[in-house]
Amino acid sequence: AKKKAKGAGKREAEEAAKKAAEEEAAKAAAAAEEAKAAKANAKKELEKQKKALRKEKARLREQSARADGWVGHPGEDDVEELANSFDVQRCAEIKALCDELEAKEGEDAIVAVLTGELAKLEGAKSEERKAAADAAAKRAESESKGEQKSAPWDDEDEIKLLDKACNQKFPMGTKDRWERVAEYVCEHGARPRTAKEVMTRYKAGL
């Protein structure tokens, strides 16, 4: 009887150990399945964030294009650099920037926002960009106050100078085009002109 009881105890112990091992294996399998699902969800969420980021980058380019060719506009390359400075962790920031740009009505205001954001980027152009941002902010402020007034363009020679500067010397795509046109007109003309003045007059038609 003693031997029989000992055998029964051994079987019970083996069954208990087997049951515990099975439970442990089931827990491990459940944990693995949970980890797999979590990984899949994380991947799905990341793709969703990447898609949202791509959408906002496209929106930034679109809003920037509203002031393309305007005095002080940083140009496509700098706008692209600005767009690429945002990653998925900063998706809310680029969305806020696009919302701000979308709310701006004038080109000066759009340029001021763009140059202001570019001035925050670190790099070799940081000082140059800060100066551009300051200039753009002043133009936008003057525009909003209605302070920008231009002397009449009543000199035919000055109009010819402007035409030559815009169409021969500094065609579309030239870096700092309007600043250089203004310098040329000032150098060869009879009165000083700002970049905003020459741009506005040229866009009005010669």
Side-chain angles (χ1 to χ4, degrees):
K2 201 181 270 189
K3 193 175 180 182
K4 195 174 178 182
K6 191 177 179 182
K10 188 179 178 183
R11 279 195 304 276
E12 283 175 8
E14 284 173 353
E15 284 173 7
K18 185 181 176 184
K19 189 178 178 183
E22 286 172 352
E23 286 175 355
E24 211 48 51
K27 279 182 187 177
E33 198 60 39
E34 196 176 315
K36 187 179 175 183
K39 191 177 179 181
N41 287 336
K43 188 178 178 182
K44 202 173 179 181
E45 183 60 30
L46 182 60
E47 285 305 317
K48 187 179 173 184
Q49 289 174 347
K50 283 181 178 179
K51 187 178 178 181
L53 181 63
R54 285 194 296 272
K55 180 184 173 185
E56 293 305 329
K57 284 184 177 182
R59 196 168 154 226
L60 176 59
R61 295 181 195 104
E62 185 183 296
Q63 291 303 318
S64 166
R66 288 170 57 208
D68 194 24
W70 200 258
V71 61
H73 190 283
E76 285 184 17
D77 289 346
D78 279 7
V79 170
E80 197 60 30
E81 185 182 340
L82 177 61
N84 290 331
S85 71
F86 293 94
D87 55 22
V88 289
Q89 278 75 38
R90 299 181 64 206
C91 199
E93 291 177 49
I94 189 173
K95 184 181 184 306
L97 172 59
C98 290
D99 289 344
E100 184 181 1
L101 285 166
E102 200 168 23
K104 300 297 180 186
E105 293 182 5
E107 286 88 345
D108 280 319
I110 292 169
V111 169
V113 172
L114 287 172
T115 52
E117 284 299 315
L118 279 164
K120 296 175 187 176
L121 299 182
E122 294 296 326
K125 294 182 181 177
S126 58
E127 291 304 316
E128 181 187 330
R129 283 171 171 168
K130 282 171 187 171
D134 289 342
K138 285 174 185 172
R139 279 194 302 272
E141 188 179 356
S142 295
E143 180 69 20
S144 66
K145 291 179 180 176
E147 292 174 357
Q148 293 183 341
K149 291 176 183 175
S150 175
W153 291 79
D154 50 14
D155 184 340
E156 196 176 321
D157 289 336
E158 191 179 30
I159 296 291
K160 285 178 182 175
L161 264 179
L162 179 62
D163 186 22
K164 184 178 180 180
C166 292
N167 295 313
Q168 295 178 36
K169 296 286 185 181
F170 313 107
M172 192 180 293
T174 303
K175 182 170 171 56
D176 300 326
R177 183 189 188 196
W178 301 117
E179 286 79 0
R180 295 175 74 178
V181 168
E183 284 173 12
Y184 183 83
V185 170
C186 290
E187 186 182 341
H188 299 282
R191 59 178 61 142
R193 293 290 186 182
T194 65
K196 180 73 179 286
E197 283 181 286
V198 296
M199 179 201 66
T200 305
R201 180 63 187 83
Y202 180 74
K203 285 180 178 290
L206 298 178

